Amino acid sequence: MVQMVKETALVNEILGPGRKGVQILACAAGVAGELLFGEGRAMDDILVTKEIYPEVARRLGKDSRNVARQAERLANRCWDSMDGAQKRKYIGKEMKDIRAPKDMIFYLAFYVRFRQGFYKILEKEPGLLFGRGDT
């Protein structure tokens, strides 16, 4: 079993303890973090359904389609459970809606890495959005 301690703690902090299946969303955020910060990939270049979900499925020994469905359900549940203060804390600003559940995966990855919301980090370091590229 893959241990994503910080990611799991964060998802539980948002959804409340005892929520079933959080390891899939936690693992997705961990894989996103590895791609973003370990490999220096640009967020827009990461294909969630082709790179993140299959890797989560491999690590957890689950079917990739089921992983995708459950991760998206949990990402939406995270969004729905957040009030304005939590959105400012975890995302960096209040928003009415997210574009797609995959955005929550990236928001979680940024929060785990920096302990600040995505948009707060981008204000300080906008280059993080574009990755390191081929230097």
Side-chain angles (χ1 to χ4, degrees):
M1 181 83 156
V2 175
Q3 292 291 327
M4 293 283 172
V5 176
K6 291 178 183 178
E7 292 85 351
T8 302
L10 177 58
V11 175
N12 282 326
E13 190 175 314
I14 295 168
L15 293 175
R19 183 69 67 167
K20 188 176 179 184
V22 299
Q23 72 275 10
I24 288 176
L25 183 58
C27 190
V31 171
E34 291 168 12
L35 295 171
L36 289 164
F37 311 117
E39 295 182 15
R41 302 266 306 276
M43 198 170 93
D44 288 344
D45 292 341
I46 297 171
L47 303 173
V48 176
T49 57
K50 292 187 179 186
E51 295 178 273
I52 294 178
Y53 295 152
E55 179 60 20
V56 170
R58 186 191 68 73
R59 291 182 186 188
L60 298 177
K62 298 186 180 279
D63 179 74
S64 187
R65 288 175 305 216
N66 291 339
V67 163
R69 280 193 300 272
Q70 191 164 0
E72 290 170 5
R73 267 196 303 270
L74 282 167
N76 284 326
R77 192 168 290 145
C78 279
W79 174 259
D80 292 339
S81 72
M82 284 188 204
D83 60 20
Q86 288 173 311
K87 289 174 185 173
R88 286 188 300 276
K89 177 180 178 180
Y90 299 118
I91 298 171
K93 70 178 185 179
E94 263 189 81
M95 298 169 31
K96 291 185 187 235
D97 202 2
I98 55 175
R99 292 180 302 157
K102 71 176 188 168
D103 292 342
M104 185 60 68
I105 292 169
F106 292 114
Y107 297 154
L108 296 172
F110 268 77
Y111 192 84
V112 165
R113 171 75 176 206
F114 298 104
R115 301 309 289 174
Q116 290 185 355
F118 175 80
Y119 289 100
K120 293 286 183 194
I121 297 301
L122 288 185
E123 285 175 14
K124 296 174 192 173
E125 298 185 50
L128 285 173
L129 196 57
F130 306 109
R132 290 192 301 255
D134 296 327
T135 56

